[in-house]
Amino acid sequence: MIIGVTAFIIIFLFIAYHTGPKRDDMSVVEKIFCDVMAPFQNGLIWVGDQFSSFGGYFTSVKNLEAENQHLKEEISALQKETSRLIEVDLENSRLRKLLGMSERLENRFAMTVVPVIARNSSSWYNTVTIKGGADQGFTKGMPVVNGDGLVGRIISVSEYTSEVLLILDKDGTVGVLVQPSRTPGVVEGKGDLGNHLQLNHVPYDANIQKNQTIISSGLGGIYPAGLLVGYISEIQTAAGGLMLEVTVTPFVDFDRLEEVMVLKNKE
């Protein structure tokens, strides 16, 4: 209570001093009062300055928040643009590979590039659905490739889509040759829905080695000769010792199949 009354008296006298008319001749009491009030006056001025600085602090914080939000928006925009440029670069890389494949086959085939729009890896068939069907002139049995090698063949066609049986499927057999020995064989899916093939009908004394390239032989009338299929990744002797069990890793990455090329015989 006493502190409150004292503070009131000091503030009242301070206001009166500063709002009253100035006089050149002050009494002794007034001079004493001025001397006594000087520290309080300085203290009040300091408190006022602190309140002013406090208000400036809040203004500064608000400005920093606005700047931070602006920077976040710029970073988000840059991230989106970076992602878009990466996708463009990857697409260009895939299309360049398709172009290279197209140049190797253009004398024998008319080629149409289409996107993969669905993937089916059921327990029955390993297939993909591509955009384009009867409207593109696609028919059952047409080979399908991408820039890395052989993908499979068309097994059904609708007006605007086609279903492609992948060489990974047990029914997607391909007649092949081993480079450079020209050892013949047949590759087929291993039946476990994995991304590997089994090279069959290889005698135990065949002249083959790991990492040798497998190409299509052209036998069977479905796939043209010379298409890249994969490479030998494992060789084991089968039970009985008369044949080899050969695992082939495809050149095509079937988990990242986005665009393919359908081959239409020019004849």
Side-chain angles (χ1 to χ4, degrees), residues 94 113-120 127-132 144-146 151 161-162 164 166 252-262:
R94 295 193 302 270
V113 177
V114 293
V116 174
I117 58 177
R119 173 76 183 263
N120 174 35
T127 64
V128 295
T129 302
I130 60 175
K131 184 178 181 181
V144 179
V145 300
N146 75 353
V151 172
T161 63
S162 300
V164 177
L166 304 179
V252 174
D253 186 350
F254 290 95
D255 289 332
R256 293 173 174 82
L257 206 55
E258 297 187 55
E259 297 94 11
V260 297
M261 189 160 55
V262 179

Side-chain angles (χ1 to χ4, degrees), residues 116 118-122 124-130 151 153 155-156 162-169 193 254 257:
V116 174
R119 173 76 183 263
N120 174 35
S121 295
S122 69
W124 296 102
Y125 294 107
N126 203 330
T127 64
V128 295
T129 302
I130 60 175
V151 172
R153 70 178 188 272
I155 57 172
S156 66
S162 300
E163 189 174 17
V164 177
L165 183 69
L166 304 179
I167 61 173
L168 294 177
D169 194 86
L193 298 180
F254 290 95
L257 206 55

Side-chain angles (χ1 to χ4, degrees), residues 33-79:
F33 175 75
C34 289
D35 292 338
V36 172
M37 287 296 298
F40 294 101
Q41 180 180 355
N42 292 332
L44 289 174
I45 292 173
W46 181 85
V47 171
D49 291 341
Q50 295 306 308
F51 273 106
S52 177
S53 299
F54 199 56
Y57 169 77
F58 277 105
T59 301
S60 177
V61 168
K62 187 175 181 180
N63 291 337
L64 287 174
E65 288 178 348
E67 183 178 359
N68 186 43
Q69 181 62 31
H70 178 68
L71 291 174
K72 285 182 179 179
E73 292 173 356
E74 285 189 347
I75 291 171
S76 177
L78 289 173
Q79 287 175 335

Side-chain angles (χ1 to χ4, degrees), residues 90-148:
L90 291 174
E91 183 180 14
N92 287 339
S93 178
R94 295 193 302 270
L95 292 178
R96 281 193 297 269
K97 286 185 177 181
L98 284 172
L99 179 61
M101 179 68 76
S102 174
E103 291 173 348
R104 293 194 295 271
L105 299 172
E106 62 184 356
N107 292 331
R108 292 182 289 166
F109 299 95
M111 290 152 287
T112 304
V113 177
V114 293
V116 174
I117 58 177
R119 173 76 183 263
N120 174 35
S121 295
S122 69
S123 58
W124 296 102
Y125 294 107
N126 203 330
T127 64
V128 295
T129 302
I130 60 175
K131 184 178 181 181
D135 62 323
Q136 295 279 3
F138 297 164
T139 59
K140 184 178 178 180
M142 285 183 172
V144 179
V145 300
N146 75 353
D148 295 316

Side-chain angles (χ1 to χ4, degrees), residues 158-205:
S158 65
E159 184 65 27
Y160 301 108
T161 63
S162 300
E163 189 174 17
V164 177
L165 183 69
L166 304 179
I167 61 173
L168 294 177
D169 194 86
K170 285 286 289 183
D171 291 337
T173 56
V174 184
V176 297
L177 295 172
V178 179
Q179 289 182 328
S181 67
R182 317 307 287 179
T183 302
V186 175
V187 295
E188 64 180 14
K190 300 186 73 171
D192 56 1
L193 298 180
N195 288 342
H196 291 88
L197 305 168
Q198 185 74 42
L199 177 59
N200 299 322
H201 313 308
V202 182
Y204 75 95
D205 58 351

Side-chain angles (χ1 to χ4, degrees), residues 76-94:
S76 177
L78 289 173
Q79 287 175 335
K80 291 178 181 178
E81 180 64 12
T82 300
S83 177
R84 186 188 70 82
L85 292 175
I86 290 173
E87 283 300 308
V88 169
D89 183 62
L90 291 174
E91 183 180 14
N92 287 339
S93 178
R94 295 193 302 270

